[in-house]
Amino acid sequence: MGLFKISGTVTAIGQSEFNNHHTLYAFIELVEPTGRRVMVQNVWVGNQVLATMNVGAEGEFCFDKFFAASKGLVSQLWGVKTSGGLVSFDRNMRTPLTFVHLALGIVLLPFGGVGMVFLVFALPQLVKLIGMIGARERMFYGQDHAEARRLRQQQAVRI
């Protein structure tokens, strides 16, 4: 589990289920510049990032693998930098899920210990989230402040 980045071209996208906040794909297949095919399974994509990700998109794709109680292991596609200049960065998904798991665990704990299942997964995620504060930003924007400023200016403004 954790952050990883793949550079390449999206060549295939599996079936999906969606709502107003995200789309969950069965898989996304990428071909790296070396020709190696990489298939990332169970991919959660927020709507902001979804706007920049489609078959044929080429660039850098940033993922975070974590556990979601209803879906199992999920790889969230949280950042895209296309070679065409489109940039998208999604800060949302993982943190709310961790707190939902914690809340469910605490609420369901008195009912025969059912909540322990949620707590077993939520507590390590919480520790990891605290340890990774700022890691997504560093991975996506890098250490060059001018480049980070340029990338932030290219992102869509939320209203």
Side-chain angles (χ1 to χ4, degrees):
M1 287 192 206
L3 300 176
F4 62 99
K5 185 187 320 187
I6 300 173
S7 295
T9 304
V10 176
T11 56
I13 298 174
Q15 65 273 21
S16 63
E17 58 182 64
F18 60 93
N19 62 28
N20 284 337
H21 306 289
H22 65 270
T23 301
L24 180 66
Y25 288 100
F27 68 89
I28 294 177
E29 183 181 84
L30 298 145
V31 175
E32 295 178 326
T34 61
R36 182 174 84 155
R37 292 174 48 207
V38 179
M39 181 181 290
V40 183
Q41 296 179 329
N42 214 19
V43 182
W44 208 326
V45 184
N47 290 337
Q48 185 174 352
V49 172
L50 186 60
T52 60
M53 194 276 308
N54 53 32
V55 174
E58 183 178 325
E60 292 181 354
F61 302 87
C62 301
F63 295 89
D64 188 2
K65 190 174 269 308
F66 62 94
F67 178 80
S70 61
K71 302 296 181 190
L73 281 177
V74 175
S75 296
Q76 180 193 2
L77 176 59
W78 55 266
V80 175
K81 289 190 266 186
T82 68
S83 57
L86 293 175
V87 178
S88 185
F89 183 84
D90 186 4
R91 292 174 173 80
N92 293 330
M93 201 64 62
R94 184 175 182 169
T95 303
L97 275 176
T98 300
F99 291 115
V100 166
H101 291 162
L102 276 173
L104 281 171
I106 292 168
V107 168
L108 296 176
L109 197 57
F111 299 101
V114 174
M116 189 59 74
V117 174
F118 290 100
L119 291 176
V120 164
F121 291 106
L123 291 175
Q125 281 185 357
L126 182 62
V127 169
K128 189 172 182 180
L129 276 175
I130 291 169
M132 289 178 34
I133 292 175
R136 284 183 174 193
E137 287 83 359
R138 286 189 302 276
M139 177 186 271
F140 192 76
Y141 296 116
Q143 301 299 323
D144 183 5
H145 296 296
E147 176 68 3
R149 191 175 320 109
R150 184 186 72 78
L151 290 173
R152 284 187 179 101
Q153 290 173 346
Q154 289 181 346
Q155 293 179 45
V157 176
R158 286 185 159 185
I159 297 176

